[in-house]
Amino acid sequence: MAKTPHSQLFDVIVVGAGLAGLVAATEATASGARVLLIDQESEANLGGQAHWSFGGIFLVDSPEQRRLGVKDSLELAQQDWENTAGFDRSEDDWARKWARAYVSWAAGEKREWLHQRGVRFFPVVGWAERGGAGAQGPGNSVPRFHITWGTGPGLLEPFIRAAEVAEAKGQLTMLWRHQLDDLVLVDGHVTGVRGTILKDDNAERGKASNRIKVANFEYFAPAVIVATGGIGGNLEKVRAAWPARLGTAPESMVAGVPAHVDGRGLDIAQKVGARLINGDRMWHYTEGIANWDPVWERHGIRILPGPSSLWLDATGKRLPDPLWPGFDTLGTLEHLRGTGHDYSWFILNRRIIGKEFALSGSEQNPDLTGKDIRAVLARARVDVPGPVQAFLDRGEDFIQSDTLDELVTKMNELTGENLLDPAAVASVVAARDAAVENAFGKDGQLAAINLARRYLGDKLVRSVKPHRLLDPKGGGLIAVRLRTLTRKSLGGIQTDLDSRVLDFAGEPIPGLYAAGEAAGFGGGGCHGYRALEGTFLGGCLFSGRAAGRHVGGVVGRS
C-alpha cells in the first residue's frame, strides 16, 4: 500500500487503522471524501485488535437464533442492556442514547449491512454473559453471541477490501509508522494532525515495535477522526484507573492486547478540550491464562468456558452463586478481588475440557478462522481440540493428575503459596459430586447446567451432561490457574450520535470525531458498567460507521 501521501488536500484524516478506523475511512470514501488514514504501527497490524478477536457479534432476533428456537426481541434486548449497563451518572446521557441506537441497529439493519459485505455467521449462537441474578439482573436473557465465519479476520476482510479499492481509486491514502503527537487546533476548530514518523520496523503483527524518530509530519483536513483504541495494553494505566468498587488492582495480570494499545490518543484528544468520561469503567476477564506461545509481552488468552467447571478461589473456597463460568464477568471480578489474591482455579476433567473449553481469539481457532468446514466438524471426533490440547501440554497454568490429592499438591506447588488444604478441596468436590446423584438437590450451578442444556446450541457444542468430577470415565482431573486478563476500556471520549467529540460544556468540537474503543464504543461508554458480549466489535462498526457517514455527508454538502 501507499507509503507517501498524494499531493492533494484531504477531506478527512482518520487516526488508527483498527476496525473502527477502517469502517470510518471506507464509509467516508463511499461518500466521495478524500481520506488520509494514519497509524503508528506497521502495515502488518492493519485491522488492529479485531484481527485477534473471536469475531463475536451481538445480534437480536436473528435467523440463526430463530433456527435454534431462541425467542428474542428488541424490547428484551433493550431491557437486558439497561439492566446490565447500570447507567447512574449525569454524564451517561449520550451513552444511553448510543446504547438504545446500537441495540435497535443490532435488531434491525446490522445483520443485513454485514451480510451485504459478505460476512457470514457460524450457525450455533453462543450464550455469553448469562447473568443468573434474576430477570432484572445483568446478563443476556437469551443466546445472542454470533461467531463470524472467519472470526476476526473474516469480519475485517470486507473493510480491508473496501480500503484497497478506495486506495486504488486515489480516494484513500494509508501511512504507516506515523505516530500522532498532537491535534492541530485553530480558533477552536481541529484542522489537522502533527506527529512523529517512526523508523520502519518489520516486527510481526502484535510484536513490540521501535519508537525511533526519523522525521516529523503535519497534515491538514476539515475533519479528524480519532480511533486509537483504549488502554488495555498499558498495565500501569489500567491499575491507575482501577476503581475502588472492584477492590485493589491485581499486581499480577496478563495482557489481552499488545503494548501499543496504550491510551495515547485519549490524552491527545483531551489536550484540545475533548471530554473524557467513565475512565473507571473497564472490562477485564477473570479466566485469563498465559499464552504458551506469546506474541506480545505478558500475552494472555481468555478461556470461553462452558458452565460445568468447579470454580474455586485461591484458598479453595467455591465461588458463590451465581458466579459460575460464563455467567457474570464483572461480578466475578469484584468477588475475586475481595479475596486478596490475584488468581483463582477451575477444577474439571478431560471430558469437560474437551467439549466446554473454547479459547478466545482468531489464532486459537484455526478451523473457524480458516473457514474450514471439515476441521470444524472434526472437533466432534476428538476428545480435546488441538489448540486446547496444546495448552494442556505446554501451558504454565494447566495441571493434570489422576487423583484429586495429587492435583491439589501440584496446584500448591505451582503458586508456591500452599493455600489449598487437600481435605477441604476434597470436601467441596465431594459435595458437588453428591449433588449430581440427586435428582432434585440445591446446587445452583448444576441447575444452571441443566437449564443450559435445554438450549440446543449448548447441548450440542458447549455443555456436557452433568456427571461426577471424580468419575473414572471423565478421563483424568485438570486444574487451571486463572488470572485477570486486561481487555477493554468501557469509558472514553464523549460523543454525540454522529460521533462528534463533545467538550466539557457538551458542545461539539468543530472538526473532531471519535470512534471505537477511544469513544467508549459510542458516547463515552455505551456499555455502562458491564457488557453483554459480542458488543465491542459491533460498537466499532456502529461508531465508525456514524463518524464516516457524517463526515462524508459534510463533504458532500460542501
Side-chain angles (χ1 to χ4, degrees):
M1 295 183 182
K3 296 294 183 183
T4 57
H6 299 169
S7 57
Q8 65 181 21
L9 296 175
F10 297 107
D11 299 306
V12 185
I13 298 172
V14 179
V15 186
L19 178 59
L22 277 172
V23 173
T26 53
E27 287 289 316
T29 58
S31 300
R34 295 160 297 182
V35 179
L36 171 64
L37 176 61
I38 66 171
D39 196 286
Q40 72 177 4
E41 299 306 315
S42 68
E43 187 177 345
N45 289 277
L46 178 62
Q49 306 325 304
H51 171 86
W52 301 103
S53 75
F54 199 29
I57 292 290
F58 178 89
L59 295 174
V60 178
D61 193 24
S62 69
E64 289 81 9
Q65 287 174 296
R66 293 193 292 270
R67 279 195 289 268
L68 290 166
V70 176
K71 295 181 180 180
D72 200 5
S73 68
L74 171 60
E75 294 73 21
L76 181 60
Q78 292 279 19
Q79 176 183 305
D80 282 349
W81 194 291
E82 286 282 337
N83 290 341
T84 301
F87 295 119
D88 61 359
R89 298 172 178 173
S90 59
E91 58 265 36
D92 285 336
D93 180 52
W94 280 109
R96 283 179 179 270
K97 292 176 181 176
W98 270 95
R100 288 193 290 268
Y102 175 70
V103 176
S104 294
W105 188 56
E109 184 189 358
K110 181 181 180 182
R111 184 182 182 279
E112 180 58 25
W113 184 74
L114 289 169
H115 209 262
Q116 288 173 356
R117 286 156 177 77
V119 176
R120 299 294 184 267
F121 298 103
F122 189 62
V124 179
V125 181
W127 195 353
E129 201 62 17
R130 303 170 191 231
Q136 292 182 297
N140 285 296
S141 297
V142 297
R144 297 190 177 108
F145 191 82
H146 296 67
I147 300 170
T148 303
W149 186 232
T151 65
L155 182 62
L156 282 166
E157 185 178 342
F159 303 103
I160 292 175
R161 187 168 58 245
E164 292 171 341
V165 170
E167 185 182 45
K169 291 180 178 179
Q171 285 185 278
L172 177 64
T173 300
M174 290 189 265
L175 298 180
W176 307 100
R177 305 295 289 156
H178 278 58
Q179 176 183 274
L180 177 70
D181 294 330
D182 291 294
L183 296 167
V184 180
L185 189 67
V186 178
D187 296 330
H189 290 62
V190 171
T191 61
V193 295
R194 295 191 184 101
T196 302
I197 300 176
L198 302 173
K199 184 179 179 181
D200 284 344
D201 196 311
N202 295 322
E204 297 176 6
R205 178 189 290 273
K207 294 280 189 182
S209 62
N210 73 68
R211 291 293 179 265
I212 301 172
K213 177 180 178 179
V214 296
N216 297 319
F217 69 84
E218 188 173 55
Y219 297 111
F220 298 95
V224 176
I225 302 172
V226 175
T228 52
I231 67 172
N234 187 328
L235 300 191
E236 291 311 308
K237 275 196 172 182
V238 169
R239 291 188 180 98
W242 195 273
R245 66 179 179 276
L246 293 180
T248 58
E251 293 182 11
S252 173
M253 293 187 280
V254 287
V257 293
H260 61 252
V261 186
D262 57 6
R264 288 186 79 253
L266 299 175
D267 299 334
I268 292 168
Q270 189 174 39
K271 286 197 298 183
V272 298
R275 187 185 188 192
L276 269 58
I277 61 172
N278 298 323
D280 63 320
R281 293 177 181 172
M282 51 186 67
W283 194 248
H284 307 307
Y285 294 108
T286 49
E287 311 99 328
I289 53 175
N291 192 346
W292 66 267
D293 186 21
V295 177
W296 53 83
E297 187 178 358
R298 293 170 292 198
H299 186 177
I301 297 291
R302 185 203 175 193
I303 296 169
L304 301 174
S308 300
S309 295
L310 182 65
W311 204 336
L312 307 180
D313 69 18
T315 67
K317 296 183 179 67
R318 190 174 181 181
L319 269 59
D321 296 354
L323 304 183
W324 310 305
F327 278 74
D328 184 352
T329 294
L330 200 69
T332 306
L333 179 61
E334 181 178 0
H335 174 80
L336 289 174
R337 293 312 309 144
T339 67
H341 300 281
D342 287 352
Y343 62 92
S344 61
W345 296 99
F346 278 168
I347 291 183
L348 60 158
N349 58 33
R350 193 170 179 87
R351 182 178 172 189
I352 293 172
I353 203 171
K355 188 171 184 180
E356 295 199 3
F357 266 39
L359 299 171
S360 181
S362 55
E363 80 280 20
Q364 301 299 329
N365 295 276
D367 48 357
L368 291 167
T369 302
K371 302 181 182 180
D372 188 336
I373 295 175
R374 289 185 177 181
V376 171
L377 294 175
R379 286 195 187 200
R381 297 196 295 270
V382 297
D383 65 338
V384 177
V388 177
Q389 184 62 52
F391 274 87
L392 276 173
D393 294 338
R394 306 180 186 183
E396 66 181 68
D397 297 306
F398 287 73
I399 298 169
Q400 301 177 71
S401 178
D402 290 329
T403 69
L404 184 59
D405 189 65
E406 182 185 48
L407 188 77
V408 175
T409 297
K410 290 181 176 180
M411 292 161 71
N412 279 326
E413 290 173 352
L414 178 63
T415 64
E417 293 190 295
N418 214 38
L419 296 176
L420 299 172
D421 176 8
V425 174
S427 176
V428 172
V429 172
R432 184 265 181 206
D433 279 4
V436 173
E437 305 293 328
N438 189 337
F440 301 96
K442 58 183 179 181
D443 191 293
Q445 183 177 3
L446 292 175
I449 295 169
N450 286 321
L451 176 62
R453 288 178 58 80
R454 290 171 54 187
Y455 167 51
L456 181 60
D458 270 355
K459 187 172 184 178
L460 288 174
V461 301
R462 292 293 287 148
S463 66
V464 299
K465 184 178 180 180
H467 63 282
R468 292 183 298 113
L469 291 175
L470 299 183
D471 187 340
K473 296 180 182 179
L477 292 170
I478 298 166
V480 185
R481 180 180 59 178
L482 309 171
R483 285 174 280 176
T484 300
L485 174 79
T486 66
R487 187 55 64 88
K488 297 298 180 186
S489 311
L490 295 188
I493 301 168
Q494 191 172 39
T495 58
D496 66 10
L497 289 177
D498 291 319
S499 289
R500 296 184 298 176
V501 172
L502 305 178
D503 62 19
F504 277 87
E507 296 297 321
I509 298 174
L512 186 58
Y513 296 75
E517 191 174 354
F521 303 97
C526 68
H527 294 91
Y529 289 93
R530 304 169 185 249
L532 285 175
E533 292 290 17
T535 55
F536 300 128
L537 293 173
C540 291
L541 295 169
F542 192 51
S543 59
R545 180 175 178 263
R549 289 189 173 189
H550 192 266
V551 296
V554 170
V555 169
R557 290 192 295 274
S558 62

